[in-house]
Amino acid sequence: SRGDLPRQAARASVPVPPSPVIIAAGSGVGGLREARRSLIEARQIADAARRDRRDLPIFRLPHVGLAGLLHLLRDEPRVQTFVERELGPLLGYDAQHPREQLLDTLRAYLEQGRNKSAAAAAAHLSRPAFYERLARIGRILDVDLDSVEACLSLHVALLALDAIRTP
């Protein structure tokens, strides 16, 4: 009968660990009039902290930084257009060549502070193979990966892409 389904499902299912609890705090306020703003801020911080991997007891505004801002703006069409403009050709390339995943190569390079040797190790690639992939990324995106400004723009686009892809 239908009444037995929840009990059967509960017995048949594997226990699911509870979701981690996120505690977020807004800025301190001096009075009741400012409390609403602080509560809205805390909610935004909690939303942004959902994708943060750190195990902090309380998340505050400085903890969410640029990734938090991009998370809050992820539905903004101009952010989505920026991501498409910066990374679109590379996303298209990766879709056609699923075994290569050059986006991961670019991410490793940028996350390692543009240190090619460290990025190659992080990507589990030989340095020559990693350098060849970087050259291919540069050609696909028509960008100089030795340019700090270009890499900053690409890094922001990657953070925005992560924010867009995170529910």
Side-chain angles (χ1 to χ4, degrees):
S1 77
R2 285 186 165 262
D4 293 333
L5 286 177
R7 281 181 281 184
Q8 291 171 353
R11 278 185 260 141
S13 66
V14 176
V16 177
S19 299
V21 174
I22 295 173
I23 300 173
S27 301
V29 297
L32 193 55
R33 294 175 87 76
E34 299 168 313
R36 182 176 187 278
R37 177 191 48 78
S38 182
L39 288 172
I40 291 170
E41 186 177 283
R43 180 177 171 206
Q44 291 172 341
I45 293 166
D47 283 346
R50 286 183 24 218
R51 62 178 306 279
D52 197 298
R53 295 183 189 110
R54 293 174 291 176
D55 186 23
L56 298 175
I58 298 174
F59 281 88
R60 297 185 188 284
L61 199 53
H63 296 134
V64 295
L66 178 59
L69 173 65
L70 293 169
H71 177 80
L72 296 175
L73 298 174
R74 70 188 180 277
D75 296 327
E76 169 64 44
R78 289 176 288 192
V79 171
Q80 295 170 359
T81 300
F82 172 73
V83 169
E84 181 61 31
R85 185 179 64 241
E86 293 293 308
L87 299 174
L90 194 59
L91 292 168
Y93 182 91
D94 279 358
Q96 292 177 350
H97 304 87
R99 299 181 82 189
E100 254 184 288
Q101 295 305 300
L102 293 179
L103 191 69
D104 292 338
T105 303
L106 178 62
R107 184 182 306 278
Y109 178 62
L110 297 173
E111 287 180 353
Q112 295 299 319
R114 297 175 43 234
N115 180 322
K116 293 176 184 174
S117 296
H124 307 290
L125 293 168
S126 69
R127 287 192 345 210
F130 190 81
Y131 294 172
E132 161 52 34
R133 284 186 178 199
L134 284 181
R136 193 169 319 130
I137 291 167
R139 287 190 302 273
I140 292 167
L141 295 178
D142 191 25
V143 68
D144 176 8
L145 292 176
D146 290 326
S147 163
V148 173
E149 186 176 333
C151 286
L152 175 60
S153 187
L154 290 171
H155 203 166
V156 170
L158 276 173
L159 292 173
L161 177 66
D162 292 344
I164 290 167
R165 289 181 171 175
T166 300

